[in-house]
Amino acid sequence: MTNSANVNELVQLINIKDGILGERKSRPKMKELLREAAGESIVLLENDGVLPIKPQSKVAVFGRTQLDYFFVGYGSGGEVNPPEVVNVIDGLKNKSVQLYEPLAEVYEEYANNHKVKDEIWGQWPRYFEEMSVDDSLMIQAAEQTDVAIVVIGRAAGEDRENILEAGSYYLTEKETALIEQVTKHFEKVVLIINSGNVMDLTWTEHYNFSAILFAWQGGMESGNALADLLVGDVNPSGKLPDTIARHYKDYPSSDHFGQEDFVEYVEDIFVGYRYFETFHPEKVLYPFGYGLSYSKFSLDSKCIIEGTKINITTNVTNVGKVAGKQTVQVYYHPPQGRLGKSRRNLIRFAKTQLLKPNESQEVELTFNLKELASYDDTGVTGHPFSYLLEAGDYEFLVGDCVTHLKKVGTYSLKELTVIEELSQISAPNENFKRLVAETIDGKLVKRYQPVTRQQIPVKVRIDEQLESFPELDGSQYFLNTEQSMQAIINSLSTIELDALTRGEGRMNSSFGPKGNAGMFGGTIESLRDKGIPPIITTDGPAGIRLNYYASLLPCGTALASTWNLNLIHRIGKEFGKELHELGSDIILAPGINIHRNPLGGRNFEYFSEDPYLTGKMAASYVKGVQTEKVSACPKHFACNNQETNRNYNDSRVSERALREIYLKAFEICIKEAQPHAIMAAYNKINGIWAHYHYDLMTEILRNEWGFQGCVMTDWWMRMSPDPNYEYLENNAYRIRAQVDILMPGGHSFEVKESDDSLIQSLNHPEGIHLKEVQRSALNILRLIQKLKG
């Protein structure tokens, strides 16, 4: 959770791998759900009929990842203590698949003699060194088996970006040699990619693979889920949540990723498929939303438009020979107008139930035209800082991936329509050029134009808000204290207010289960005496990161690949039960940042390149978790799209891209699921650290979206004076932005105690106002009421 040079101390402080507690036993219902999710997440990219593997077939498995599988990525979002994990070989054996034992024995011996080193924080291996296979063994295996399986594995993580080197984005020499050997000697070769990130797959076009599976890091049931698919007990239904381009340089962010001081989001709204479908469809190897099945489906759609309501009904029929599931995807193609837009935009999706051969299901998807609005951050339409619909034809398309669509309806808008008038918020302060789409002589071309810079300083908005500060509604009685929240808040001293608006000071609080991420609420005795209980936080999202055995979930990208909202909700509900039983109140999850670039170290924690898919997945997860008197905490708000120098890096992004891409998933999640808490990002957004960002935390999150919950920092914020107010710094600065809680509460990683910046500011006549601090106190008490009331 930190880039500190003293990271070893952090590891010792919360070493969740030592002294694991609890019963080493899987939870049956969770195990069943995780196997189902891992299976539905696997994307079948190619298949010439070799899959499913025929009964009685003998199989030779290559690649050490068959044993040393990447079940999840690295860092605070991945290090969980599962009661068991199932790798590829275990899964195949559980299905009684006939393995070529001489080869399996060689790999087992190699793995035993070349143990994976458990590196310190941020230095984990991105791959495991591959062994060389003796040519005579290869020939024997080919003669005595029917099918070869090759498993290639990759991982990245927190503080650990993928890189453009062999063993990360590219194959190693030994992996290439192994693939050449296997494809030379075997007629039928199945390739399994085990990764949390997209990696280079152009090499797959040079070899004659019979089938290719992209198996995202599937959690503790990975091997069983893979085996289910390989033998045909489960029909593949996963769909790509990201575009797989032919070359890294084809991604529009490729030249603007990983810079130390700042990153310019030059590609603007054209992220992932929005870029490729608009400008370069020929550069795509596997498109967004793509995934094959062992069956075939027909989609018969009709569109009915009533006023501004669009209703699309699709009759999905399984016209194949085996039972399976299909995902209906609805996109819209807007007119380019003056703003310029992506040619394809996901607006709805739904996954069918398991359909038997010749069985049909009707899927109905409805939306309003206003959901298609674009944001004008320049005033080119005559309506600056507004969501609007430009005149022209809005086409609706239905299919099973972004490149396999059929137009089903058109809404012809006669004149420009303003949907929502806002004001300029969090626009860039620095000048750079961003990509726009322009129609010239009837052709759509790429152009670059300067971003619109911030016109009105944030201080103006803050001063206006301070002049008309609303009365706080703390009339609700707090827990069993027989006092209103307002009465409790009024009774708090400055020391108590300070203590309430920060965590206890360090991780692994003695008030919670061993290995927790920290405590807030009743951080000092006098607060507890007033009836304010300790609230325990725990890292996620791949599981409950404690010194206890806990379920290991598929990574975020895997969950998104299921495109199954009902399944994610059910997992969230069981996960919430597990969290409650282990004695924690808040899971620091889900991660809902956008896959801006395939090298992003924490992509595995997040869902997708698409904000709509991301937002819907996050909302389902949050609603499930919060049915169990515990809280989810979506993160990292906002633009945490790289790990490189993440504590200081400035994400420079246009207001339009910020609203349409990087905030949209958070907006969907917050409006649909109402999470009780949210976590700020480490990085800056247009020059201001997220934990001091008034425009994001107050103006957009609360005033525009109506968020009623609590905002906390990521663990250990950067200390800074407020450039607009002389007597505000650090904790006073963040409270003014309405970032309610400093976590885990200390001044820094090295200093476990808090500073007195909030108290000093409260005591100064030109410092922070008491009512601002009381507002955050009320946000915190409301959160506690939801958890403990």
Side-chain angles (χ1 to χ4, degrees):
M1 302 173 82
T2 177
N3 283 327
S4 171
N6 295 311
V7 73
N8 282 318
E9 184 183 346
L10 172 61
V11 173
Q12 293 304 314
L13 176 66
I14 187 167
N15 191 347
I16 63 159
K17 300 298 181 183
D18 289 343
I20 305 172
L21 304 170
E23 188 177 2
R24 189 166 189 165
K25 184 178 179 181
S26 297
R27 298 163 184 262
K29 188 170 183 179
M30 179 63 100
K31 184 176 179 178
E32 179 184 337
L33 285 170
L34 298 186
R35 185 168 181 167
E36 182 181 353
E40 289 201 21
S41 76
I42 298 168
V43 183
L44 181 62
L45 298 177
E46 303 285 352
N47 187 25
D48 67 2
V50 68
L51 293 182
I53 296 171
K54 309 257 184 320
Q56 311 308 318
S57 295
K58 293 196 71 174
V59 177
V61 186
F62 296 90
R64 73 170 294 176
T65 310
Q66 63 182 280
L67 295 168
D68 296 319
Y69 200 77
F70 289 105
F71 298 97
V72 72
Y74 300 122
S76 60
E79 292 190 338
V80 178
N81 294 310
E84 60 178 324
V85 290
V86 183
N87 62 28
V88 178
I89 293 298
D90 292 335
L92 292 172
K93 287 181 177 178
N94 291 341
K95 286 292 183 182
S96 300
V97 173
Q98 297 184 56
L99 300 174
Y100 185 61
E101 290 298 339
L103 178 65
E105 290 170 3
V106 170
Y107 269 106
E108 186 172 2
E109 181 181 3
Y110 177 83
N112 289 335
N113 293 333
H114 297 79
K115 294 289 186 182
V116 176
K117 187 178 180 182
D118 189 11
E119 297 284 0
I120 65 168
W121 188 274
Q123 299 300 313
W124 307 281
R126 296 184 176 93
Y127 76 106
F128 301 143
E129 186 74 19
E130 195 55 73
M131 84 171 197
S132 298
V133 179
D134 185 81
D135 216 41
S136 61
L137 178 60
M138 181 74 68
I139 293 170
Q140 291 170 13
E143 290 174 346
Q144 298 184 43
T145 61
D146 304 296
V147 180
I149 296 174
V150 181
V151 189
I152 301 294
R154 290 292 185 273
E158 191 170 5
D159 274 340
R160 188 66 163 162
E161 224 93 78
N162 267 327
I163 54 176
L164 294 173
E165 294 181 8
S168 185
Y169 193 69
Y170 300 113
L171 290 182
T172 66
E173 290 184 7
K174 286 187 176 180
E175 288 169 337
T176 300
L178 175 65
I179 289 166
E180 289 179 349
Q181 259 188 308
V182 175
T183 52
K184 175 183 176 182
H185 291 286
F186 286 81
E187 182 180 344
K188 298 177 180 179
V189 181
V190 176
L191 173 67
I192 296 173
I193 303 295
N194 162 222
S195 178
N197 284 55
V198 168
M199 65 176 290
D200 173 54
L201 292 184
T202 52
W203 49 272
T204 61
E205 297 182 290
H206 306 311
Y207 301 100
N208 189 28
F209 292 111
S210 303
I212 302 175
L213 294 165
F214 207 119
W216 307 101
Q217 295 157 347
M220 57 190 281
E221 285 293 305
S222 293
N224 281 333
L226 261 169
D228 288 339
L229 262 73
L230 291 171
V231 303
D233 288 347
V234 169
N235 192 343
S237 63
K239 300 286 187 178
L240 287 176
D242 289 340
T243 303
I244 301 179
R246 292 188 177 277
H247 305 284
Y248 176 74
K249 281 293 184 183
D250 293 334
Y251 290 97
S253 61
S254 59
D255 290 332
H256 300 274
F257 176 83
Q259 286 81 6
E260 287 283 334
D261 296 329
F262 61 88
V263 173
E264 296 173 343
Y265 286 38
V266 171
E267 72 282 358
D268 209 58
I269 65 167
F270 297 102
V271 178
Y273 72 85
R274 285 172 165 79
Y275 171 79
F276 292 107
E277 289 302 303
T278 305
F279 300 114
H280 290 293
E282 77 282 359
K283 294 184 177 181
V284 174
L285 188 60
Y286 294 109
F288 177 82
Y290 172 82
L292 301 176
S293 168
Y294 295 154
S295 194
K296 293 186 181 298
F297 300 87
S298 68
L299 275 64
D300 184 17
S301 301
K302 61 180 179 180
C303 177
I304 298 176
I305 299 174
E306 297 177 348
T308 59
K309 179 183 176 182
I310 295 91
N311 183 281
I312 294 176
T313 303
T314 301
N315 191 59
V316 184
T317 303
N318 185 344
V319 296
K321 297 179 179 180
V322 295
K325 298 179 180 181
Q326 178 61 291
T327 299
V328 178
Q329 302 171 35
V330 180
Y331 298 80
Y332 68 93
H333 177 187
Q336 284 298 316
R338 292 186 176 184
L339 287 176
K341 306 174 189 74
S342 165
R343 294 184 65 251
R344 296 286 182 268
N345 305 269
L346 181 68
I347 189 64
R348 286 292 186 273
F349 66 88
K351 194 164 194 173
T352 68
Q353 63 192 28
L354 186 69
L355 299 177
K356 298 176 183 178
N358 299 316
E359 185 178 6
S360 298
Q361 179 183 345
E362 189 171 87
V363 174
E364 185 174 355
L365 295 167
T366 302
F367 53 94
N368 195 287
L369 190 69
K370 67 181 181 181
E371 296 180 55
L372 282 55
S374 300
Y375 187 78
D376 182 358
D377 63 359
T378 66
V380 68
T381 66
H383 300 274
F385 319 128
S386 298
Y387 280 103
L388 50 85
L389 295 163
E390 293 192 87
D393 290 342
Y394 290 79
E395 298 177 354
F396 309 119
L397 309 102
V398 178
D400 59 10
C401 81
V402 73
T403 59
H404 187 208
L405 300 171
K406 181 180 179 181
K407 187 171 80 169
V408 298
T410 302
Y411 190 107
S412 296
L413 187 64
K414 302 303 181 183
E415 59 183 24
L416 183 148
T417 303
V418 176
I419 302 300
E420 185 177 16
E421 292 182 333
L422 298 169
S423 56
Q424 187 186 46
I425 298 289
S426 191
N429 293 301
E430 305 292 336
N431 190 35
F432 64 93
K433 290 187 176 182
R434 49 102 174 258
L435 176 63
V436 295
E438 286 189 8
T439 304
I440 299 178
D441 296 330
K443 293 183 178 180
L444 196 62
V445 297
K446 291 191 289 185
R447 288 285 184 268
Y448 291 87
Q449 67 179 27
V451 293
T452 303
R453 297 165 69 178
Q454 185 66 42
Q455 298 173 4
I456 301 176
V458 65
K459 187 177 185 299
V460 174
R461 287 187 293 283
I462 295 174
D463 287 345
E464 289 175 352
Q465 182 258 343
L466 291 175
E467 289 175 4
S468 57
F469 202 91
E471 290 296 323
L472 301 179
D473 181 11
S475 58
Q476 183 180 7
Y477 278 89
F478 182 65
L479 300 179
N480 59 355
T481 63
E482 297 184 354
Q483 292 190 76
S484 69
M485 293 185 187
Q486 191 65 60
I488 291 176
I489 290 170
N490 290 340
S491 75
L492 298 179
S493 66
T494 55
I495 291 175
E496 289 171 329
L497 280 169
D498 176 56
L500 183 60
T501 57
R502 57 175 172 79
E504 185 183 19
R506 60 187 297 130
M507 300 173 71
N508 201 9
S509 170
S510 60
F511 287 89
K514 189 178 179 183
N516 65 78
M519 180 267 274
F520 69 89
T523 56
I524 58 176
E525 188 174 356
S526 65
L527 289 176
R528 296 191 291 273
D529 289 342
K530 292 181 177 181
I532 300 173
I535 300 297
I536 303 301
T537 64
T538 300
D539 267 329
I544 301 166
R545 189 172 176 260
L546 292 168
N547 275 85
Y548 289 79
Y549 290 106
S551 304
L552 178 60
L553 279 61
C555 71
T557 311
L559 294 177
S561 296
T562 69
W563 292 62
N564 190 332
L565 298 178
N566 177 266
L567 177 57
I568 304 309
H569 183 272
R570 285 185 285 138
I571 289 173
K573 185 174 177 64
E574 286 302 308
F575 188 72
K577 290 179 182 178
E578 188 172 341
L579 183 71
H580 184 76
E581 289 171 11
L582 286 174
S584 188
D585 300 297
I586 297 179
I587 188 70
L588 305 177
I592 54 177
N593 296 104
I594 296 298
H595 294 175
R596 177 178 175 259
N597 184 282
L599 300 183
R602 296 182 85 169
N603 280 4
F604 79 96
E605 288 189 52
Y606 309 144
F607 292 111
S608 171
E609 68 186 24
D610 180 73
Y612 181 75
L613 177 60
T614 296
K616 297 295 287 187
M617 285 287 158
S620 291
Y621 174 97
V622 170
K623 285 188 284 188
V625 167
Q626 292 189 169
T627 59
E628 301 301 322
K629 292 294 285 187
V630 291
S631 174
C633 182
K635 61 184 184 183
H636 308 85
F637 192 65
C639 297
N640 188 159
N641 304 114
Q642 71 174 44
E643 291 303 287
T644 305
N645 201 31
R646 60 185 175 147
N647 297 83
Y648 297 94
N649 196 276
D650 184 12
S651 296
R652 297 179 179 175
V653 55
S654 77
E655 190 189 1
R656 181 182 182 188
L658 188 65
R659 288 183 177 276
E660 291 189 18
I661 304 294
Y662 298 102
L663 299 185
K664 183 59 67 175
F666 287 97
E667 182 180 5
I668 292 169
C669 179
I670 286 160
K671 289 182 176 179
E672 291 191 8
Q674 299 177 347
H676 303 330
I678 194 168
M679 181 192 291
Y682 278 134
N683 52 280
K684 297 177 181 178
I685 303 99
N686 290 329
I688 304 172
W689 271 294
H691 43 260
Y692 299 131
H693 215 299
Y694 176 88
D695 277 348
L696 286 185
M697 303 303 173
T698 293
E699 290 285 18
I700 292 179
L701 178 64
R702 299 181 190 274
N703 295 347
E704 287 186 21
W705 299 349
F707 179 65
Q708 297 294 314
C710 195
V711 180
M712 65 182 71
T713 69
D714 203 337
W715 268 225
W716 301 286
M717 68 180 186
R718 300 306 97 194
M719 297 300 170
S720 173
D722 187 330
N724 297 306
Y725 301 93
E726 182 178 357
Y727 298 101
L728 273 72
E729 64 178 357
N730 304 347
N731 287 308
Y733 186 8
R734 82 172 155 79
I735 290 290
R736 176 151 288 179
Q738 214 171 163
V739 174
D740 306 302
I741 309 172
L742 168 68
M743 290 299 294
H747 181 268
S748 66
F749 173 71
E750 296 82 4
V751 181
K752 306 305 185 292
E753 296 74 28
S754 178
D755 68 7
D756 63 353
S757 56
L758 180 59
I759 295 172
Q760 289 293 327
S761 188
L762 270 171
N763 290 334
H764 196 283
E766 295 183 40
I768 194 163
H769 298 184
L770 176 62
K771 56 190 176 183
E772 293 178 88
V773 188
Q774 290 179 331
R775 176 180 60 183
S776 281
L778 182 58
N779 290 337
I780 296 165
L781 293 186
R782 283 172 176 164
L783 168 59
I784 296 173
Q785 182 86 355
K786 290 172 183 175
L787 295 173
K788 301 297 184 180

